[in-house]
mmCIF file with all atom_site columns, all heavy atoms in Angstrom:
data_model
loop_
_atom_site.group_PDB
_atom_site.id
_atom_site.type_symbol
_atom_site.label_atom_id
_atom_site.label_alt_id
_atom_site.label_comp_id
_atom_site.label_asym_id
_atom_site.label_entity_id
_atom_site.label_seq_id
_atom_site.pdbx_PDB_ins_code
_atom_site.Cartn_x
_atom_site.Cartn_y
_atom_site.Cartn_z
_atom_site.occupancy
_atom_site.B_iso_or_equiv
_atom_site.pdbx_formal_charge
_atom_site.auth_seq_id
_atom_site.auth_comp_id
_atom_site.auth_asym_id
_atom_site.auth_atom_id
_atom_site.pdbx_PDB_model_num
ATOM   1   N N   . ASN U 1 167 ? -6.235 21.012 22.535 1.00 0.00 ? 754  ASN U N   1
ATOM   2   C CA  . ASN U 1 167 ? -5.401 20.447 23.623 1.00 0.00 ? 754  ASN U CA  1
ATOM   3   C C   . ASN U 1 167 ? -4.944 21.503 24.592 1.00 0.00 ? 754  ASN U C   1
ATOM   4   O O   . ASN U 1 167 ? -3.975 22.253 24.322 1.00 0.00 ? 754  ASN U O   1
ATOM   5   C CB  . ASN U 1 167 ? -4.229 19.695 23.033 1.00 0.00 ? 754  ASN U CB  1
ATOM   6   C CG  . ASN U 1 167 ? -4.670 18.362 22.482 1.00 0.00 ? 754  ASN U CG  1
ATOM   7   O OD1 . ASN U 1 167 ? -5.501 18.311 21.570 1.00 0.00 ? 754  ASN U OD1 1
ATOM   8   N ND2 . ASN U 1 167 ? -4.162 17.265 23.032 1.00 0.00 ? 754  ASN U ND2 1
ATOM   9   N N   . HIS U 1 186 ? -1.431 13.053 29.960 1.00 0.00 ? 773  HIS U N   1
ATOM   10  C CA  . HIS U 1 186 ? -1.269 14.053 28.901 1.00 0.00 ? 773  HIS U CA  1
ATOM   11  C C   . HIS U 1 186 ? 0.184  14.154 28.428 1.00 0.00 ? 773  HIS U C   1
ATOM   12  O O   . HIS U 1 186 ? 1.109  14.023 29.217 1.00 0.00 ? 773  HIS U O   1
ATOM   13  C CB  . HIS U 1 186 ? -1.811 15.413 29.332 1.00 0.00 ? 773  HIS U CB  1
ATOM   14  C CG  . HIS U 1 186 ? -3.292 15.373 29.481 1.00 0.00 ? 773  HIS U CG  1
ATOM   15  N ND1 . HIS U 1 186 ? -3.901 15.327 30.711 1.00 0.00 ? 773  HIS U ND1 1
ATOM   16  C CD2 . HIS U 1 186 ? -4.266 15.362 28.565 1.00 0.00 ? 773  HIS U CD2 1
ATOM   17  C CE1 . HIS U 1 186 ? -5.222 15.261 30.537 1.00 0.00 ? 773  HIS U CE1 1
ATOM   18  N NE2 . HIS U 1 186 ? -5.458 15.300 29.243 1.00 0.00 ? 773  HIS U NE2 1
ATOM   19  N N   . LEU U 1 187 ? 0.307  14.464 27.141 1.00 0.00 ? 774  LEU U N   1
ATOM   20  C CA  . LEU U 1 187 ? 1.618  14.411 26.503 1.00 0.00 ? 774  LEU U CA  1
ATOM   21  C C   . LEU U 1 187 ? 2.648  15.324 27.144 1.00 0.00 ? 774  LEU U C   1
ATOM   22  O O   . LEU U 1 187 ? 3.738  14.885 27.502 1.00 0.00 ? 774  LEU U O   1
ATOM   23  C CB  . LEU U 1 187 ? 1.468  14.741 25.008 1.00 0.00 ? 774  LEU U CB  1
ATOM   24  C CG  . LEU U 1 187 ? 2.751  14.732 24.202 1.00 0.00 ? 774  LEU U CG  1
ATOM   25  C CD1 . LEU U 1 187 ? 3.363  13.329 24.181 1.00 0.00 ? 774  LEU U CD1 1
ATOM   26  C CD2 . LEU U 1 187 ? 2.501  15.230 22.784 1.00 0.00 ? 774  LEU U CD2 1
ATOM   27  N N   . LEU U 1 190 ? 3.913  14.484 30.655 1.00 0.00 ? 777  LEU U N   1
ATOM   28  C CA  . LEU U 1 190 ? 4.684  13.226 30.616 1.00 0.00 ? 777  LEU U CA  1
ATOM   29  C C   . LEU U 1 190 ? 6.065  13.457 29.991 1.00 0.00 ? 777  LEU U C   1
ATOM   30  O O   . LEU U 1 190 ? 7.056  12.916 30.458 1.00 0.00 ? 777  LEU U O   1
ATOM   31  C CB  . LEU U 1 190 ? 3.929  12.150 29.834 1.00 0.00 ? 777  LEU U CB  1
ATOM   32  C CG  . LEU U 1 190 ? 2.674  11.593 30.555 1.00 0.00 ? 777  LEU U CG  1
ATOM   33  C CD1 . LEU U 1 190 ? 1.916  10.636 29.648 1.00 0.00 ? 777  LEU U CD1 1
ATOM   34  C CD2 . LEU U 1 190 ? 3.052  10.896 31.860 1.00 0.00 ? 777  LEU U CD2 1
ATOM   35  N N   . SER U 1 203 ? 6.921  7.615  25.592 1.00 0.00 ? 790  SER U N   1
ATOM   36  C CA  . SER U 1 203 ? 6.510  6.678  24.563 1.00 0.00 ? 790  SER U CA  1
ATOM   37  C C   . SER U 1 203 ? 5.565  7.384  23.577 1.00 0.00 ? 790  SER U C   1
ATOM   38  O O   . SER U 1 203 ? 4.597  8.005  24.011 1.00 0.00 ? 790  SER U O   1
ATOM   39  C CB  . SER U 1 203 ? 5.805  5.511  25.259 1.00 0.00 ? 790  SER U CB  1
ATOM   40  O OG  . SER U 1 203 ? 5.540  4.510  24.352 1.00 0.00 ? 790  SER U OG  1
ATOM   41  N N   . TYR U 1 205 ? 2.654  7.191  21.065 1.00 0.00 ? 792  TYR U N   1
ATOM   42  C CA  . TYR U 1 205 ? 1.568  6.239  20.773 1.00 0.00 ? 792  TYR U CA  1
ATOM   43  C C   . TYR U 1 205 ? 1.301  6.125  19.261 1.00 0.00 ? 792  TYR U C   1
ATOM   44  O O   . TYR U 1 205 ? 0.340  6.670  18.734 1.00 0.00 ? 792  TYR U O   1
ATOM   45  C CB  . TYR U 1 205 ? 0.299  6.657  21.484 1.00 0.00 ? 792  TYR U CB  1
ATOM   46  C CG  . TYR U 1 205 ? 0.379  6.649  22.991 1.00 0.00 ? 792  TYR U CG  1
ATOM   47  C CD1 . TYR U 1 205 ? -0.366 7.532  23.757 1.00 0.00 ? 792  TYR U CD1 1
ATOM   48  C CD2 . TYR U 1 205 ? 1.193  5.737  23.664 1.00 0.00 ? 792  TYR U CD2 1
ATOM   49  C CE1 . TYR U 1 205 ? -0.314 7.502  25.148 1.00 0.00 ? 792  TYR U CE1 1
ATOM   50  C CE2 . TYR U 1 205 ? 1.281  5.724  25.031 1.00 0.00 ? 792  TYR U CE2 1
ATOM   51  C CZ  . TYR U 1 205 ? 0.514  6.611  25.783 1.00 0.00 ? 792  TYR U CZ  1
ATOM   52  O OH  . TYR U 1 205 ? 0.574  6.611  27.155 1.00 0.00 ? 792  TYR U OH  1
ATOM   53  N N   . CYS U 1 216 ? 0.594  11.517 15.630 1.00 0.00 ? 803  CYS U N   1
ATOM   54  C CA  . CYS U 1 216 ? -0.669 12.304 15.668 1.00 0.00 ? 803  CYS U CA  1
ATOM   55  C C   . CYS U 1 216 ? -0.419 13.812 15.767 1.00 0.00 ? 803  CYS U C   1
ATOM   56  O O   . CYS U 1 216 ? 0.521  14.242 16.447 1.00 0.00 ? 803  CYS U O   1
ATOM   57  C CB  . CYS U 1 216 ? -1.477 11.916 16.894 1.00 0.00 ? 803  CYS U CB  1
ATOM   58  S SG  . CYS U 1 216 ? -2.305 10.344 16.764 1.00 0.00 ? 803  CYS U SG  1
ATOM   59  N N   . ARG U 1 218 ? -1.879 17.536 16.922 1.00 0.00 ? 805  ARG U N   1
ATOM   60  C CA  . ARG U 1 218 ? -2.817 18.204 17.821 1.00 0.00 ? 805  ARG U CA  1
ATOM   61  C C   . ARG U 1 218 ? -2.571 19.702 17.802 1.00 0.00 ? 805  ARG U C   1
ATOM   62  O O   . ARG U 1 218 ? -1.513 20.154 17.426 1.00 0.00 ? 805  ARG U O   1
ATOM   63  C CB  . ARG U 1 218 ? -2.654 17.702 19.277 1.00 0.00 ? 805  ARG U CB  1
ATOM   64  C CG  . ARG U 1 218 ? -3.048 16.245 19.486 1.00 0.00 ? 805  ARG U CG  1
ATOM   65  C CD  . ARG U 1 218 ? -4.540 16.042 19.443 1.00 0.00 ? 805  ARG U CD  1
ATOM   66  N NE  . ARG U 1 218 ? -4.902 14.663 19.667 1.00 0.00 ? 805  ARG U NE  1
ATOM   67  C CZ  . ARG U 1 218 ? -4.957 13.718 18.726 1.00 0.00 ? 805  ARG U CZ  1
ATOM   68  N NH1 . ARG U 1 218 ? -4.654 14.006 17.489 1.00 0.00 ? 805  ARG U NH1 1
ATOM   69  N NH2 . ARG U 1 218 ? -5.352 12.501 19.031 1.00 0.00 ? 805  ARG U NH2 1
ATOM   70  N N   . ARG U 1 279 ? -2.790 4.396  20.709 1.00 0.00 ? 866  ARG U N   1
ATOM   71  C CA  . ARG U 1 279 ? -3.712 4.398  21.841 1.00 0.00 ? 866  ARG U CA  1
ATOM   72  C C   . ARG U 1 279 ? -5.136 4.388  21.309 1.00 0.00 ? 866  ARG U C   1
ATOM   73  O O   . ARG U 1 279 ? -5.460 5.187  20.441 1.00 0.00 ? 866  ARG U O   1
ATOM   74  C CB  . ARG U 1 279 ? -3.469 5.643  22.698 1.00 0.00 ? 866  ARG U CB  1
ATOM   75  C CG  . ARG U 1 279 ? -4.296 5.716  23.942 1.00 0.00 ? 866  ARG U CG  1
ATOM   76  C CD  . ARG U 1 279 ? -3.897 6.859  24.833 1.00 0.00 ? 866  ARG U CD  1
ATOM   77  N NE  . ARG U 1 279 ? -4.134 8.169  24.216 1.00 0.00 ? 866  ARG U NE  1
ATOM   78  C CZ  . ARG U 1 279 ? -3.931 9.334  24.839 1.00 0.00 ? 866  ARG U CZ  1
ATOM   79  N NH1 . ARG U 1 279 ? -3.456 9.351  26.083 1.00 0.00 ? 866  ARG U NH1 1
ATOM   80  N NH2 . ARG U 1 279 ? -4.165 10.475 24.223 1.00 0.00 ? 866  ARG U NH2 1
ATOM   81  N N   . ASP U 1 282 ? -7.761 7.514  19.739 1.00 0.00 ? 869  ASP U N   1
ATOM   82  C CA  . ASP U 1 282 ? -7.032 8.713  19.325 1.00 0.00 ? 869  ASP U CA  1
ATOM   83  C C   . ASP U 1 282 ? -7.296 9.082  17.866 1.00 0.00 ? 869  ASP U C   1
ATOM   84  O O   . ASP U 1 282 ? -6.886 8.339  16.978 1.00 0.00 ? 869  ASP U O   1
ATOM   85  C CB  . ASP U 1 282 ? -5.517 8.497  19.476 1.00 0.00 ? 869  ASP U CB  1
ATOM   86  C CG  . ASP U 1 282 ? -4.977 8.914  20.814 1.00 0.00 ? 869  ASP U CG  1
ATOM   87  O OD1 . ASP U 1 282 ? -5.685 9.606  21.563 1.00 0.00 ? 869  ASP U OD1 1
ATOM   88  O OD2 . ASP U 1 282 ? -3.841 8.521  21.135 1.00 0.00 ? 869  ASP U OD2 1
HETATM 89  N N1  . UDP X 2 .   ? 0.640  10.862 23.369 1.00 0.00 ? 2491 UDP X N1  1
HETATM 90  C C1  . UDP X 2 .   ? 1.774  10.087 23.199 1.00 0.00 ? 2491 UDP X C1  1
HETATM 91  N N2  . UDP X 2 .   ? 2.409  9.613  24.311 1.00 0.00 ? 2491 UDP X N2  1
HETATM 92  C C2  . UDP X 2 .   ? 1.968  9.861  25.576 1.00 0.00 ? 2491 UDP X C2  1
HETATM 93  C C3  . UDP X 2 .   ? 0.802  10.657 25.744 1.00 0.00 ? 2491 UDP X C3  1
HETATM 94  C C4  . UDP X 2 .   ? 0.161  11.140 24.609 1.00 0.00 ? 2491 UDP X C4  1
HETATM 95  O O1  . UDP X 2 .   ? 2.220  9.810  22.083 1.00 0.00 ? 2491 UDP X O1  1
HETATM 96  O O2  . UDP X 2 .   ? 2.579  9.373  26.535 1.00 0.00 ? 2491 UDP X O2  1
HETATM 97  C C5  . UDP X 2 .   ? -0.038 11.411 22.168 1.00 0.00 ? 2491 UDP X C5  1
HETATM 98  C C6  . UDP X 2 .   ? -1.478 11.011 22.024 1.00 0.00 ? 2491 UDP X C6  1
HETATM 99  O O3  . UDP X 2 .   ? -1.611 9.810  21.302 1.00 0.00 ? 2491 UDP X O3  1
HETATM 100 C C7  . UDP X 2 .   ? -2.056 12.217 21.277 1.00 0.00 ? 2491 UDP X C7  1
HETATM 101 C C8  . UDP X 2 .   ? -1.210 13.396 21.753 1.00 0.00 ? 2491 UDP X C8  1
HETATM 102 O O4  . UDP X 2 .   ? -0.043 12.816 22.309 1.00 0.00 ? 2491 UDP X O4  1
HETATM 103 O O5  . UDP X 2 .   ? -1.848 12.071 19.896 1.00 0.00 ? 2491 UDP X O5  1
HETATM 104 C C9  . UDP X 2 .   ? -1.890 14.228 22.819 1.00 0.00 ? 2491 UDP X C9  1
HETATM 105 O O6  . UDP X 2 .   ? -2.383 13.362 23.800 1.00 0.00 ? 2491 UDP X O6  1
HETATM 106 P P1  . UDP X 2 .   ? -2.982 13.888 25.154 1.00 0.00 ? 2491 UDP X P1  1
HETATM 107 O O7  . UDP X 2 .   ? -3.348 12.723 26.003 1.00 0.00 ? 2491 UDP X O7  1
HETATM 108 O O8  . UDP X 2 .   ? -2.066 14.914 25.767 1.00 0.00 ? 2491 UDP X O8  1
HETATM 109 O O9  . UDP X 2 .   ? -4.288 14.686 24.731 1.00 0.00 ? 2491 UDP X O9  1
HETATM 110 P P2  . UDP X 2 .   ? -5.566 14.235 23.846 1.00 0.00 ? 2491 UDP X P2  1
HETATM 111 O O10 . UDP X 2 .   ? -5.226 14.593 22.423 1.00 0.00 ? 2491 UDP X O10 1
HETATM 112 O O11 . UDP X 2 .   ? -5.788 12.778 24.074 1.00 0.00 ? 2491 UDP X O11 1
HETATM 113 O O12 . UDP X 2 .   ? -6.675 15.075 24.401 1.00 0.00 ? 2491 UDP X O12 1
#
Side-chain angles (χ1 to χ4, degrees):
N754 284 61
H773 292 103
L774 180 64
L777 288 174
S790 187
Y792 296 150
C803 284
R805 293 287 181 274
R866 182 173 66 176
D869 269 345

